[in-house]
Amino acid sequence: MRKVVKFGGSSLASAKQFKKVGEIIRADEERKYVIPSAPGKRHMHDTKVTDMLYECYSLAEQDKNFDVELKQIRLRFEEIITGLDLALSLDQEFAEIARRFKDKAGKEYAASRGEYLNSIIMAQYLGFPFVDAAEVVLFDENGRFMADATDKLLGERLAALDAAVIPGFYGAQADGTVKTFSRGGSDITGSIVAKAVHADVYENWTDVSGFLIADPRIIDRPEGIETITYRELRELSYMGATVLHEEAIFPVRKEGIPINIRNTNSPDDKGTWIVESTCQKSRYTITGIAGKRGFCSINIEKDMMNSEVGFGRRVLQVFEENGISFEHMPSGIDTLTVFVHQDEFIDKEQKVVAGLHRLTRPDSIDIESDLALIAVVGRGMRATRGTAGRIFSALAHANVNVKMIDQGSSELNIIIGVSDSDFEAAIKAIYDIFVIAQL
Ligand code: ASP
C-alpha cells in the first residue's frame, strides 16, 4: 500500500500541530509522500502565511519597504523550527526571497513561498527528501497546468524515492516562472501526486472529520458522511459544502484512487471516503443537504410559448449577451423561469428585461429576489420510493412554501427553491425527516 498525505494550513500552523502531523505519518509506514500547505491560522483572529505573503509582496511591488512584514513571516517559520528543536537555518532562503521580491518575481512566486518553506521544515523534521514542486509540477507558457507532462515527470522522479515531501499549491513554467493554483490549491497538488505514484489512497488531512450531512451553522452537530461518491460530492460542493478544493477530485478520479478526508486533531476518526462508486448504502436515504442563498428568478409568461420553436434559446441568448450564467430553468406550458445569482443580475436587470421583451415578446415578466436553492443529494434516492413525497410533506409541516422543484434525471439530487427567509427552516425540516427520524 502506498499513501499520499496532504496536510492543510491549520494542521501545520504551529510546532504543536507539526508534532501531531509527525505522529500521524510515523504511525503508518505507508504514508510516504507528504504534501504540506503553508502555515494557516493558529487561532480565529490569526492570519494565514499565504495572506501575509500577498500583503508583503504588494509593498514590494509598489517599491515600498517590506522588511517588517517579511520579518513577521519569518517569525512564523522560526517559531515552528524552534518548537521542533530543528537545526535549520532559513537565512539563505529569506535572503533569496527578499532579493526576488525586490526584482518583482511575481505575486504567485510570493504566495508559493509559504508551501516551499513549510515543506523544507517538514522534510527535515521527518528525514524525508525534499522535492521542489517548481521542478515537477509543470505549467505551459499561458499559465495552464500541464497534466500529462507533470504526471510523467513526477512519476519518474518519485519512482526513484520511496519517500518525499513535495510542497502544495504551486509549480513552474519552463522558464522557471512560478505559477500557483487557485486558493486552497494544495489539495490539487496532493491529488496530482497521488495519481503520479499510483497511490492506493489519497489522505487529505484537515481540521474537520470529513463532510457533514448538513451545515453545522444550521444544524446542531450534524452527523458525518462516511462514504460519498465523486458525483454526489460535485453536487454538494457546488452548493457550498467546502472541505476540499473543487478541482482536486479530477486527477485521482481518473485513476480510481479514493480520497479519505481526515482530521489532524482527531486522527482516530475515520473521516469521509470519497469514491468513484460504491455498493455501500449510505446510512440514510440521503447523503447530504447543501444550499446557497442569493438567487433571483425571472418568470416569463407567454401564451403558447411551448409551440414556439427557439423560444428557450432566445431567452438564454439574452442572459448570455449580458454575461449572466443561469442556474436552473424550470418550465411550464406557458411559463419559463430562469434562476440566476442575484449579485450577477442586479446591475443588469433592466437590460435583461428589455432584451427579453425585444427577443421573445412575452405577455409578462415577473422578477422575484431573495431566493435560496437547496440541494438534497443521495445515490440512495433512486432506489427508494417516496423520497420526494417525504421532502415536500416535511417542508409543508414546517410551513415552508416551495417555489421551485428540479429533479435531475440521474435522480441523484432534488433541488428546491425557497424564500431566503425559509432557508434554514427548510434545511432543518429535511434533516429531521431523513436523519433524526431514522435515529
Ligand atoms: N496556502 C494556499 C492558500 O492559502 C494553498 C493551500 O493552503 O492549499 O490558499
Side-chain angles (χ1 to χ4, degrees):
M1 285 273 274
R2 194 179 291 174
K3 295 179 181 167
V4 167
V5 287
K6 179 260 168 181
F7 291 88
S10 59
S11 302
L12 297 168
S14 64
K16 187 167 152 232
Q17 290 299 86
F18 256 76
K19 285 182 188 164
K20 291 185 194 167
V21 168
E23 261 174 46
I24 290 166
I25 295 170
R26 291 188 191 110
D28 182 348
E29 60 177 32
E30 289 158 357
R31 295 187 175 127
K32 285 298 183 200
Y33 300 99
V34 183
I35 288 82
S37 279
K41 293 184 182 190
R42 292 162 295 185
H43 46 81
M44 227 169 67
H45 304 292
D46 205 8
T47 310
K48 290 178 170 196
V49 164
T50 310
D51 291 316
M52 296 170 84
L53 285 159
Y54 279 126
E55 203 50 31
C56 180
Y57 185 72
S58 84
L59 295 173
E61 230 176 1
Q62 302 164 54
D63 293 314
K64 289 192 182 146
N65 184 295
F66 56 83
D67 292 348
V68 175
E69 285 70 17
L70 194 59
K71 190 154 176 234
Q72 267 159 3
I73 294 166
R74 181 160 182 175
L75 280 176
R76 292 287 311 259
F77 291 103
E78 295 297 350
E79 189 189 292
I80 295 171
I81 293 174
T82 321
L84 297 176
D85 274 335
L86 295 177
L88 175 68
S89 158
L90 296 179
D91 284 351
Q92 261 188 14
E93 270 76 22
F94 272 92
E96 157 109 3
I97 291 170
R99 187 176 58 73
R100 299 214 45 201
F101 272 34
K102 282 192 187 112
D103 292 347
K104 310 219 169 66
K107 196 172 153 186
E108 298 182 45
Y109 165 80
S112 74
R113 295 304 88 184
E115 273 66 15
Y116 172 78
L117 295 166
N118 231 16
S119 298
I120 291 180
I121 299 174
M122 180 61 85
Q124 168 119 351
Y125 182 52
L126 296 172
F128 285 10
F130 168 77
V131 175
D132 190 354
E135 293 167 19
V136 284
V137 176
L138 310 175
F139 286 78
D140 69 15
E141 63 279 9
N142 300 315
R144 272 192 301 258
F145 169 60
M146 296 164 76
D148 293 339
T150 299
D151 190 50
K152 189 162 175 289
L153 183 65
L154 195 54
E156 283 165 7
R157 183 80 183 264
L158 296 182
L161 300 169
D162 64 339
V165 177
I166 308 115
F169 191 37
Y170 72 97
Q173 292 170 321
D175 67 359
T177 307
V178 169
K179 301 299 294 177
T180 55
F181 295 112
S182 54
R183 292 301 303 266
S186 297
D187 285 344
I188 306 175
T189 312
S191 183
I192 293 165
V193 173
K195 177 177 191 304
V197 301
H198 308 295
D200 296 284
V201 47
Y202 168 26
E203 288 182 348
N204 189 292
W205 291 81
T206 173
D207 51 11
V208 289
S209 295
F211 285 88
L212 300 170
I213 294 183
D215 188 335
R217 287 166 296 189
I218 299 172
I219 304 291
D220 183 31
R221 291 197 286 145
E223 299 244 337
I225 300 176
E226 281 168 22
T227 310
I228 185 169
T229 63
Y230 288 124
R231 288 175 62 215
E232 289 173 313
L233 180 63
R234 288 281 295 152
E235 303 283 350
L236 287 177
S237 11
Y238 184 67
M239 277 298 203
T242 51
V243 173
L244 187 74
H245 193 296
E246 253 196 316
E247 290 163 44
I249 64 172
F250 298 115
V252 285
R253 183 178 182 171
K254 275 192 199 148
E255 296 287 300
I257 301 168
I259 306 176
N260 187 195
I261 308 285
R262 298 287 290 267
N263 189 347
T264 302
N265 304 318
S266 187
D268 293 332
D269 291 356
K270 292 200 178 74
T272 299
W273 283 89
I274 308 168
V275 299
E276 174 65 47
S277 64
T278 176
C279 61
Q280 263 193 52
K281 298 210 171 65
S282 39
R283 215 166 338 145
Y284 311 102
T285 309
I286 59 161
T287 304
I289 313 162
K292 271 198 210 167
R293 320 176 89 128
F295 290 96
C296 274
S297 69
I298 300 96
N299 186 29
I300 304 149
E301 287 204 26
K302 184 176 186 184
D303 284 343
M304 304 294 288
M305 76 159 64
N306 72 326
S307 57
E308 193 180 316
V309 175
F311 187 85
R313 182 186 52 72
R314 283 193 290 279
V315 168
L316 291 184
Q317 187 183 334
V318 176
F319 287 89
E320 185 179 346
E321 281 170 359
N322 284 285
I324 300 168
S325 63
F326 75 99
E327 201 74 9
H328 287 281
M329 195 172 61
S331 63
I333 300 172
D334 297 326
T335 67
L336 190 150
T337 309
V338 183
F339 276 77
V340 294
H341 285 274
Q342 200 153 313
D343 53 1
E344 269 182 45
F345 176 71
I346 217 119
D347 291 343
K348 300 172 182 163
E349 179 189 78
Q350 293 311 315
K351 273 175 81 183
V352 172
V353 172
L356 287 170
H357 275 288
R358 188 166 39 83
L359 276 188
T360 67
R361 307 255 160 246
D363 297 334
S364 69
I365 295 177
D366 182 38
I367 299 176
E368 194 171 352
S369 62
D370 297 322
L371 298 173
L373 293 176
I374 296 169
V376 184
V377 177
R379 60 190 182 277
M381 298 198 307
R382 203 156 64 187
T384 320
R385 263 170 295 153
T387 311
R390 285 168 75 191
I391 295 175
F392 298 115
S393 71
L395 292 174
H397 274 108
N399 268 326
V400 171
N401 182 17
V402 174
K403 302 202 170 260
M404 193 264 310
I405 306 165
D406 193 349
Q407 175 176 19
S409 54
S410 66
E411 292 184 57
L412 190 68
N413 66 0
I414 297 178
I415 311 271
I416 302 148
V418 298
S419 265
D420 191 84
S421 54
D422 283 337
F423 182 64
E424 299 198 347
I427 291 184
K428 282 196 185 111
I430 299 167
Y431 185 83
D432 282 356
I433 195 80
F434 286 102
V435 182
I436 307 278
Q438 305 282 293
L439 288 176

